[in-house]
Amino acid sequence: MDSQKPIAVLKAAAPGSQTEDSSYTSGSSTISEMSGHEVLAEVQVVDVDILSVHLEQETSTKKQQATSPLGTLRLDQCKLYGREEHIASVQDGLFRVKQKRLNQKLNATLEFVLISGPSGSGKTAVATSIQQDVERSPSGVYLQGKFDLSVQKEPYTAFATALGDLCCRASDILGRAAFERFQEETIKNLDSLELHLLHGIIPSMGLIAPEKEFRADFRSSIKMGDQKNRLHYGFLKFIRVASAAFCPLVFFLDDLQWADVSSLELLKVLISDQENTNLMVIGTYRSNEVNPDLSKMIQDLRLQQQDKKAPLKLTRQDSNRQSLLSKRGSMSKLLSPGEDLGTNLTLTELSLGNLTVKEVEHITMDLLSLTDHTVAAPLAQILHRRTFGNPNYLKTLITALHDDDLLSFNVGTTEWCWDLDEIEKSSFATDNVVDLARRGIQRNASKEMHHLLMCVACLGSICKEKCIRLIWKRSSVGNTGERLLQQLLNQAVKQMFLEQIGSSQFRFTHDAVKEAVISSICLGEINALRQKIGGILFEELTEEELEAMLFLVADLLHNTDWPGSKLSQLLLRAAQKAKGVSAFSSASFYALNGIKRLRNMWHGDENVQLAIKLHSIAAEAERCLGNLPHAKRLCETIIGQDSVPNIDKMQAHKILIDMLWNEEEDFEVSLNYSLDCLGESIGCNFPRGKAGQTVGALRCINYMKMKKSIPSVAEIKALPQMTDPTRLFGMELMGEATYSAFFAGKPTLMLMILARRIQWSFQYGFHASMAPAYATMASAFMHALGDWERGRKMAKVAVQIVERAKELGVAGNSEQEVLYRLHFLVNPWTQPARSLSNQLIDGYKTCMSHGDVDNAFKIIVAYEFSQLLSGKELKQLEADIQCYRPQMEALKYDKWDFQVGIVLQAALNLMGKTENTTILAGSVVEEKPGVRQLWHQVQFLKRFLCAHFGEYKTGAINSVKIGKEWLKAYPGVYYGYDAFHQAICLYAEAHNIAQNASSGCRLAPSTSGRTMSLYKEHAYRNHALIKSWVKSGGPNHVHHLSILDAEQAALLSCMQKSKSKEVCKLYEKAIVDSVRGGFVNHAALTEERYADYLLEMDDKQEGIYHLENAIKRYSDWGAMRKVEFLREKLVKVTCSPLAQNGSS
């Protein structure tokens, strides 16, 4: 090797910039015959003193050659020719972000710039062209993260790097006061679970916000899908807080073609955020190496943009008023709040190709300090033919020509000299810059330098100096290794092989350098080296350091011959960590590789337990990825092993049951599978036939009527805690079976399962799940058996059990389950509706803060339904729902989002913000749910709207056809109100039929008589049901009973064709009862019904009075569409236009 020449490849990239990485397999030729172990071992025989002299001479020679500034290849100062338009597009995107921050009236959109092109085309240079502009702003921050092929299975690497950098620099950028505000907002907006998850992926997150107290008993109840959604939502909230604190905030993600699946999902979430437009995201990828996941994401984005109106793209030249006026015609039109100037996302795609001959000529002139085009043109033409116009390869080739003395600087004439014929002969045409880089390393890098670079190449996109030193220490003799290593690192940085980040990290200056290093030995030798390095890190790192670098170590070792059992344990740790941050693709990869490396997995206790854990994590991850058949096979593998005890198969059973319940929604099969597991694995059997289930249910009812089934607080505290794993799993299975039995329509079996859960708690020890069992049993006794007293006692026991579970630290989500069940099934008949609101909101907050999203949204659905039904001001109800819906959408809870959506749509119908009255369709939701339970809820709300909009016939027909089924199948908070609304529609329509009959406008007598009788029969049934609730002490149905009493009396009065003072008294009492209970909607409805009765009886004065009262009360509620109808009716009654405004 000629040590007097500078290294060719070192000058191929501008210092301080990191560009693309490449694949291990991009080149096949080798320059070394050494194996991976020899690479490290060879360093041991180096004479450190001789090498030090060699390095010093090389540095001295380089300095002598660079004494003249004109004689230097100024690669770092070379302009980006051929990229002017691309850079301008990126700068325009940054300009728009700044303008949105200054002018809130402009339609805000998130800026997403995608830059594609082959390796070396200058993607990173274009992306970073705005970095200085960003960081010149007082609070601007440019965050950069890079994905790396060598650690492609490590999740969130680029996000972790970028956000870790933000956490470390935030204090310096913002200043003390602003930084403290940033901390306060982060802690305020992120709950304990979200902070816990973010701490798992972002280094130094603790500098911004320490973890909040997190109840461990909740963690086990969080579903993996929920956890992933909460991570995404927490990430969004953190970025929103950051983009409010830092202006502008730019996110640059390099090499997206190597991004893991979880990172692409997080990127999609980030750029889809409709609430964060103070952000610019830049992504680069190699156009010839796009993976299927990235390709799909890009195609989806393009389709979304095509479906939307093209946004107005402001540029830097549009910053003055006249320019804006010329673009849109007038400033007022541009800033009109109602005008859609764009979509939520502004997607800018930039494709970088090769340079033209003219552009190569400009670069050549810059590099060689030439002013005459005629001198540079012949050389530029050769360079273009040889490099095809690839910018990075062009610079690399020029540097190589300089190293080979084919391009030299004459100090005497102060000119660059070259021989075109010699260059034509010596250079060669190739589109692979790695080939040339590898030749440069072979020709110019010392053996020791090559060994160092090989080690660094195995340590990811950024490597810590401590890791390099650990590896070097194990590969050198005595104390000479440290001195040698420091000299090599300094030399690598000076010659631009590596660049130093901060004080203790290094990375390659360009992906081509790294790829050239890796491709210099064959894949098998690389694996041997990776195994050696991985083993050193595993043995030398502390436990804390190993946990931080777990993915890297696992990636180094997963495809090697490291001892099988030991490797499988390491891969299990990596899988568990990936699962903990919802990186399911990575979790599956590590777990499946752990299974592959584990020999004799079903023999020996240690191997069996390891195999069960690996199979279970892999099954859960595959399920979350949607690969249900594979997940099922993994579970069945565990279940089919005779050597595995039944107790160890329980997790696999539970995964299968969850799949049947959640993904396939086959409640019957899920129920039978749960019962099979209970019988075969635990010996807990239930009858399958109807007769046996009926007999069993009667026995359970008798048991629950016994005095001992209502324990005192002391008796609950005296119960020992359940610890038997078999019984604990049995309680979980019975919990799943309870839901399945309910939705499969098997109430008697559900009752038996509930009673068995309670019996087991008394027999085998205290378990928190007995609390929701008691809450559900309370509803059964109240509504099915009519035993309100015992139902109330059971509800009280459920609350006491929750308190005890919280004392023991085992409550989990039982508190929220009980709150939801009691509010939905019990409390509406025992407590005033208004008193329940605070309990529900507190329950929602507790659930969300501990990750129990499902119960949190259940509670919100119950809360919003009850608020609508109990007459909450509609404008405030709309605002409430609009706060919760984005959460449900972001966390992908479509079922709950639909349910609050139909509540909102009903409110909008009443407010007059849609054209519909009783049809639940509009801008918010369409009444087309696929689930039967949701369809029933739509029908319930339609009956509610029919009662208030006066469409009594539609409501009566609906009540007769499906109302009874609803009341039977879905008792709950809607149940009591629906019985009332059904009765109102039925009484009112029967009244209309009777009135038409008396006025001569009738159907055939037999038809009208049968219809009226049918409506009266159903109305009387619901009336009697509500009367029984009031008699049993239900506080929320007193006014319902008063209204129905008045309606029944009015019907009889109509049939008798005479006005009754008793009817008037009943209506007046109903109005008073409604107002006293706080039900403004029902007070308005009663005023309207009373007015109709009075007008029917020709009492016009009193009728108008109560019609005006109805208008006022509906106005107070916010039902302005109904107010419009009543005002039209009032005009007709009074025949006076003044009446339209007289009561507003």
Side-chain angles (χ1 to χ4, degrees):
M1 183 189 75
D2 186 356
S3 62
Q4 301 303 310
K5 292 183 179 180
I7 309 303
V9 74
L10 300 183
K11 301 180 181 179
S17 66
Q18 170 95 1
T19 58
E20 300 88 1
D21 249 341
S22 185
S23 166
Y24 283 111
T25 56
S26 60
S28 58
S29 61
T30 64
I31 63 170
S32 174
E33 299 299 324
M34 293 184 294
S35 69
H37 292 290
E38 289 171 333
V39 168
L40 291 176
E42 182 68 19
V43 182
Q44 298 177 358
V45 298
V46 174
D47 188 316
V48 178
D49 293 329
I50 293 176
L51 181 63
S52 299
V53 172
H54 167 82
L55 293 175
E56 290 169 3
Q57 289 176 345
E58 189 172 309
T59 303
S60 175
T61 302
K62 182 179 178 182
K63 288 180 179 179
Q64 291 173 9
Q65 291 180 335
T67 53
S68 171
L70 293 176
T72 304
L73 289 172
R74 299 177 297 176
L75 293 166
D76 56 332
Q77 300 177 23
C78 184
K79 182 181 175 182
L80 290 171
Y81 287 100
R83 303 293 180 243
E84 293 85 358
E85 291 185 4
H86 304 94
I87 292 173
S89 295
V90 177
Q91 290 173 337
D92 288 344
L94 177 63
F95 172 78
R96 288 192 293 272
V97 171
K98 291 180 178 180
Q99 287 299 105
K100 291 170 215 166
R101 191 68 172 256
L102 294 173
N103 190 344
Q104 297 298 326
K105 291 185 179 181
L106 287 173
N107 188 46
T109 61
L110 186 148
E111 295 288 334
F112 184 36
V113 180
L114 265 177
I115 307 173
S116 63
S119 175
S121 57
K123 300 184 293 296
T124 301
V126 171
T128 56
S129 61
I130 61 171
Q131 182 171 359
Q132 291 184 356
D133 188 10
V134 170
E135 295 181 345
R136 273 196 295 267
S137 300
S139 60
V141 62
Y142 188 97
L143 302 176
Q144 182 172 350
K146 176 179 172 60
F147 295 102
D148 193 300
L149 179 64
S150 61
V151 286
Q152 194 172 3
K153 291 301 177 182
E154 180 174 349
Y156 312 118
T157 50
F159 287 104
T161 302
L163 292 174
D165 180 44
L166 175 68
C167 293
C168 293
R169 295 167 53 201
S171 178
D172 294 334
I173 295 172
L174 294 175
R176 181 175 178 180
F179 176 66
E180 289 178 353
R181 286 196 299 273
F182 176 45
Q183 287 181 307
E184 290 171 2
E185 286 298 310
T186 302
I187 295 170
K188 175 184 173 182
N189 283 276
L190 296 176
D191 61 38
S192 55
L193 175 61
E194 290 160 350
L195 275 175
H196 176 78
L197 294 172
L198 288 179
H199 272 266
I201 64 171
I202 302 176
S204 309
M205 184 68 188
L207 296 174
I208 306 300
E211 286 201 60
K212 297 179 183 178
E213 183 181 355
F214 185 72
R215 275 173 53 183
D217 55 312
F218 267 91
R219 189 63 189 269
S220 61
S221 64
I222 301 172
K223 297 177 181 177
M224 291 180 69
D226 290 346
Q227 178 177 286
K228 176 181 174 180
N229 293 336
R230 288 304 298 279
L231 171 63
H232 288 175
Y233 192 51
F235 173 78
L236 281 189
K237 290 199 289 185
F238 179 58
I239 297 300
R240 288 171 191 169
V241 173
S243 65
F246 299 92
C247 181
L249 175 61
V250 179
F251 235 116
F252 170 37
L253 300 173
D254 201 3
D255 284 329
L256 286 172
Q257 76 275 359
W258 293 327
D260 59 285
V261 175
S262 301
S263 293
L264 288 178
E265 289 176 346
L266 200 58
L267 174 59
K268 284 188 283 187
V269 168
L270 177 63
I271 62 177
S272 301
D273 186 12
Q274 298 183 11
E275 296 186 27
N276 189 3
T277 56
N278 299 321
L279 177 67
M280 183 175 186
V281 181
I282 305 174
T284 64
Y285 66 95
R286 293 186 180 182
S287 53
N288 58 338
E289 297 182 30
V290 182
N291 64 57
D293 296 306
L294 177 61
S295 177
K296 184 179 185 305
M297 186 191 82
I298 294 171
Q299 290 300 324
D300 290 345
L301 285 173
R302 288 171 180 166
L303 289 173
Q304 290 173 12
Q305 293 296 296
Q306 290 173 7
D307 292 340
K308 297 175 181 178
K309 180 180 176 182
L312 169 65
K313 291 187 176 182
L314 300 178
T315 65
R316 292 162 296 153
Q317 288 72 33
D318 298 325
S319 58
N320 64 76
R321 179 184 177 91
Q322 293 303 319
S323 150
L324 290 174
L325 287 171
S326 64
K327 248 192 184 185
R328 283 290 188 175
S330 71
M331 181 63 74
S332 61
K333 183 177 179 183
L334 174 68
L335 300 181
S336 173
E339 182 176 359
D340 181 14
L341 300 185
T343 62
N344 179 62
L345 176 68
T346 298
L347 174 62
T348 304
E349 289 195 78
L350 305 176
S351 179
L352 307 189
N354 289 332
L355 304 176
T356 65
V357 176
K358 197 67 177 176
E359 289 162 346
V360 171
E361 183 180 312
H362 283 304
I363 292 175
T364 305
M365 293 179 68
D366 274 6
L367 287 175
L368 303 183
S369 302
L370 299 175
T371 57
D372 190 344
H373 286 271
T374 60
V375 174
L379 177 60
Q381 290 174 0
I382 295 175
L383 295 175
H384 188 270
R385 286 200 305 273
R386 296 296 182 260
T387 64
F388 305 101
N390 181 284
N392 184 56
Y393 182 33
L394 173 66
K395 295 179 182 180
T396 304
L397 180 58
I398 291 175
T399 309
L401 294 175
H402 177 256
D403 291 340
D404 288 341
D405 290 333
L406 295 175
L407 182 65
S408 59
F409 183 74
N410 189 317
V411 179
T413 63
T414 65
E415 294 180 339
W416 286 94
C417 305
W418 61 86
D419 187 321
L420 293 178
D421 292 335
E422 287 298 319
I423 291 175
E424 285 275 20
K425 294 176 185 178
S426 300
S427 58
F428 54 92
T430 177
D431 59 355
N432 189 352
V433 68
V434 176
D435 289 340
L436 187 61
R438 186 170 58 248
R439 292 170 185 269
I441 293 174
Q442 178 183 4
R443 184 172 56 247
N444 300 312
S446 67
K447 184 189 302 182
E448 295 76 20
M449 179 67 74
H450 185 259
H451 297 164
L452 170 65
L453 297 178
M454 281 296 301
C455 294
V456 175
C458 291
L459 294 174
S461 60
I462 299 177
C463 64
K464 295 182 178 180
E465 184 176 345
K466 179 177 180 180
C467 294
I468 301 174
R469 294 190 180 281
L470 284 175
I471 296 165
W472 201 261
K473 180 181 179 182
R474 291 280 295 268
S475 309
S476 59
V477 178
N479 297 322
T480 58
E482 286 290 326
R483 179 184 172 191
L484 171 61
L485 174 62
Q486 191 60 56
Q487 290 170 341
L488 287 172
L489 286 172
N490 292 340
Q491 188 71 7
V493 171
K494 289 177 182 178
Q495 295 180 328
M496 292 188 295
F497 277 124
L498 303 176
E499 61 180 354
Q500 190 166 1
I501 304 171
S503 60
S504 60
Q505 296 185 110
F506 293 87
R507 67 181 175 190
F508 283 96
T509 54
H510 194 280
D511 292 336
V513 182
K514 180 176 182 178
E515 189 173 348
V517 170
I518 293 173
S519 63
S520 64
I521 61 175
C522 68
L523 184 60
E525 293 168 340
I526 290 174
N527 286 338
L529 178 61
R530 286 166 64 85
Q531 178 175 336
K532 182 76 173 179
I533 291 174
I536 291 173
L537 294 178
F538 182 82
E539 294 169 4
E540 295 290 338
L541 293 175
T542 66
E543 187 63 26
E544 183 178 349
E545 291 170 336
L546 178 61
E547 183 63 25
M549 301 182 66
L550 188 58
F551 293 126
L552 172 63
V553 177
D555 286 336
L556 286 169
L557 295 172
H558 83 269
N559 200 29
T560 67
D561 294 328
W562 219 46
S565 177
K566 194 174 182 181
L567 178 56
S568 293
Q569 289 174 350
L570 176 66
L571 292 172
L572 173 62
R573 285 184 61 182
Q576 290 170 330
K577 183 175 181 179
K579 172 188 169 185
V581 292
S582 305
F584 302 127
S585 180
S586 299
S588 174
F589 172 82
Y590 291 126
L592 292 174
N593 271 277
I595 293 170
K596 181 180 177 182
R597 299 295 173 184
L598 186 59
R599 299 182 179 89
N600 300 318
M601 68 178 71
W602 303 115
H603 296 86
D605 291 343
E606 184 176 347
N607 277 2
V608 167
Q609 291 302 316
L610 184 56
I612 290 171
K613 292 176 182 177
L614 287 167
H615 278 80
S616 297
I617 287 184
E620 289 182 283
E622 288 293 297
R623 173 196 166 191
C624 290
L625 293 170
N627 303 326
L628 302 186
H630 194 193
K632 186 176 180 181
R633 286 195 298 272
L634 288 162
C635 292
E636 290 172 345
T637 299
I638 300 174
I639 295 169
Q641 300 300 320
D642 295 334
S643 59
V644 178
N646 285 334
I647 186 66
D648 292 331
K649 298 178 181 179
M650 291 179 179
Q651 183 61 24
H653 285 308
K654 190 173 186 303
I655 294 171
L656 288 175
I657 292 170
D658 285 344
M659 287 170 57
L660 289 169
W661 166 261
N662 290 295
E663 279 76 22
E664 300 179 23
E665 293 189 348
D666 194 332
F667 306 125
E668 186 78 33
V669 175
S670 174
L671 174 61
N672 289 330
Y673 191 94
S674 299
L675 296 179
D676 288 341
C677 290
L678 283 166
E680 295 171 8
S681 301
I682 304 176
C684 177
N685 295 296
F686 292 91
R688 304 299 178 92
K690 288 185 178 180
Q693 291 174 6
T694 301
V695 172
L698 291 173
R699 290 176 178 171
C700 291
I701 291 171
N702 290 331
Y703 170 77
M704 295 305 298
K705 286 183 176 180
M706 297 171 62
K707 184 178 179 180
K708 66 178 182 180
S709 67
I710 307 294
S712 65
V713 174
E715 288 172 331
I716 293 171
K717 289 188 175 183
L719 288 173
Q721 197 170 339
M722 187 181 292
T723 56
D724 184 346
T726 303
R727 301 298 173 188
L728 289 170
F729 183 70
M731 293 292 276
E732 285 189 52
L733 282 181
M734 284 191 278
E736 299 284 350
T738 302
Y739 281 108
S740 298
F742 174 75
F743 286 104
K746 297 182 180 294
T748 53
L749 182 57
M750 183 184 76
L751 198 63
M752 291 178 62
I753 297 170
L754 289 171
R756 187 72 59 87
R757 290 164 71 183
I758 293 170
Q759 287 175 331
W760 272 31
S761 295
F762 287 116
Q763 187 175 355
Y764 300 112
F766 177 88
H767 193 276
S769 69
M770 67 188 294
Y774 262 105
T776 310
M777 192 68 78
S779 171
F781 267 78
M782 291 176 67
H783 300 299
L785 303 176
D787 191 344
W788 283 55
E789 183 61 29
R790 184 160 289 270
R792 287 191 180 96
K793 290 180 179 178
M794 288 181 174
K796 186 176 180 180
V797 169
V799 174
Q800 293 169 348
I801 292 170
V802 167
E803 293 303 317
R804 177 58 176 161
K806 288 165 69 175
E807 290 175 6
L808 295 172
V810 296
N813 61 3
S814 63
E815 180 179 7
Q816 283 62 50
E817 288 276 0
V818 167
L819 178 63
Y820 173 73
R821 282 171 169 77
L822 292 185
H823 175 76
F824 211 66
L825 304 171
V826 177
N827 292 346
W829 287 267
T830 61
Q831 299 178 32
R834 298 286 180 177
S835 68
L836 303 175
S837 300
N838 290 338
Q839 296 178 32
L840 292 173
I841 294 301
D842 290 343
Y844 159 79
K845 291 177 179 177
T846 302
C847 285
M848 288 297 289
S849 66
H850 292 94
D852 187 6
V853 183
D854 194 50
N855 271 317
F857 289 156
K858 277 183 188 177
I859 289 171
I860 285 301
V861 168
Y863 171 76
E864 297 299 354
F865 262 98
S866 64
Q867 294 297 292
L868 174 66
L869 299 174
S870 60
K872 182 174 182 175
E873 186 182 351
L874 294 175
K875 188 175 181 180
Q876 188 177 349
L877 179 71
E878 178 190 13
D880 282 351
I881 295 177
Q882 296 290 19
C883 288
Y884 296 118
R885 286 200 78 198
Q887 287 185 335
M888 295 177 178
E889 292 171 1
L891 296 173
K892 300 177 183 177
Y893 272 80
D894 296 337
K895 181 172 71 172
W896 304 127
D897 182 43
F898 177 83
Q899 291 183 65
V900 295
I902 57 176
V903 174
L904 177 57
Q905 190 66 61
L908 295 178
N909 287 7
L910 288 162
M911 295 167 74
K913 293 189 175 183
T914 70
E915 295 300 319
N916 298 316
T917 53
T918 61
I919 297 175
L920 289 168
S923 60
V924 175
V925 73
E926 295 291 336
E927 52 177 55
K928 295 179 181 179
V931 181
R932 182 71 175 169
Q933 183 194 19
L934 301 185
W935 180 83
H936 267 299
Q937 291 181 358
V938 170
Q939 300 307 311
F940 156 72
L941 281 177
K942 286 171 77 73
R943 294 190 289 273
F944 163 79
L945 291 172
C946 284
H948 285 89
F949 274 114
E951 297 184 18
Y952 303 126
K953 183 176 181 179
T954 303
I957 293 171
N958 187 299
S959 300
V960 170
K961 285 186 175 180
I962 57 179
K964 185 177 179 181
E965 179 186 350
W966 165 261
L967 292 176
K968 181 180 178 182
Y970 301 104
V973 66
Y974 324 130
Y975 176 78
Y977 291 97
D978 192 42
F980 167 71
H981 294 132
Q982 284 187 38
I984 282 289
C985 292
L986 291 162
Y987 272 133
E989 188 55 27
H991 195 136
N992 289 340
I993 293 173
Q995 185 180 6
N996 290 336
S998 65
S999 63
C1001 301
R1002 65 176 75 184
L1003 300 171
S1006 59
T1007 302
S1008 61
R1010 285 198 302 269
T1011 302
M1012 186 170 69
S1013 297
L1014 180 63
Y1015 290 165
K1016 285 168 61 180
E1017 177 187 349
H1018 283 78
Y1020 291 159
R1021 183 186 299 123
N1022 287 356
H1023 194 163
L1025 181 63
I1026 291 174
K1027 185 178 292 186
S1028 70
W1029 294 340
V1030 174
K1031 185 178 179 181
S1032 299
N1036 297 313
H1037 305 289
V1038 173
H1039 72 291
H1040 289 162
L1041 181 59
S1042 297
I1043 298 170
L1044 294 181
D1045 286 343
E1047 285 294 311
Q1048 184 181 38
L1051 176 59
L1052 293 174
S1053 176
C1054 176
M1055 294 172 68
Q1056 295 170 1
K1057 303 178 183 179
S1058 63
K1059 181 180 177 182
S1060 169
K1061 291 184 179 180
E1062 185 63 28
V1063 174
C1064 295
K1065 289 180 180 178
L1066 289 173
Y1067 270 122
E1068 289 167 359
K1069 179 179 184 299
I1071 294 169
V1072 171
D1073 288 344
S1074 298
V1075 172
R1076 187 179 294 158
F1079 297 92
V1080 63
N1081 54 333
H1082 291 154
L1085 176 60
T1086 309
E1087 294 274 16
E1088 180 189 3
R1089 294 297 301 149
Y1090 189 17
D1092 287 345
Y1093 172 75
L1094 292 168
L1095 293 172
E1096 177 191 339
M1097 296 300 167
D1098 295 325
D1099 190 344
K1100 191 173 181 180
Q1101 184 176 354
E1102 283 295 310
I1104 291 174
Y1105 171 76
H1106 285 286
L1107 194 57
E1108 290 176 337
N1109 282 349
I1111 291 173
K1112 183 180 184 305
R1113 295 190 190 280
Y1114 275 121
S1115 297
D1116 292 342
W1117 188 27
M1120 302 314 296
R1121 186 66 180 278
K1122 178 67 176 180
V1123 169
E1124 290 176 16
F1125 293 159
L1126 291 183
R1127 281 177 175 164
E1128 292 173 3
K1129 185 176 182 179
L1130 184 60
V1131 171
K1132 292 178 182 178
V1133 171
T1134 61
C1135 298
S1136 170
L1138 296 176
Q1140 188 171 6
N1141 298 319
S1143 56
S1144 59

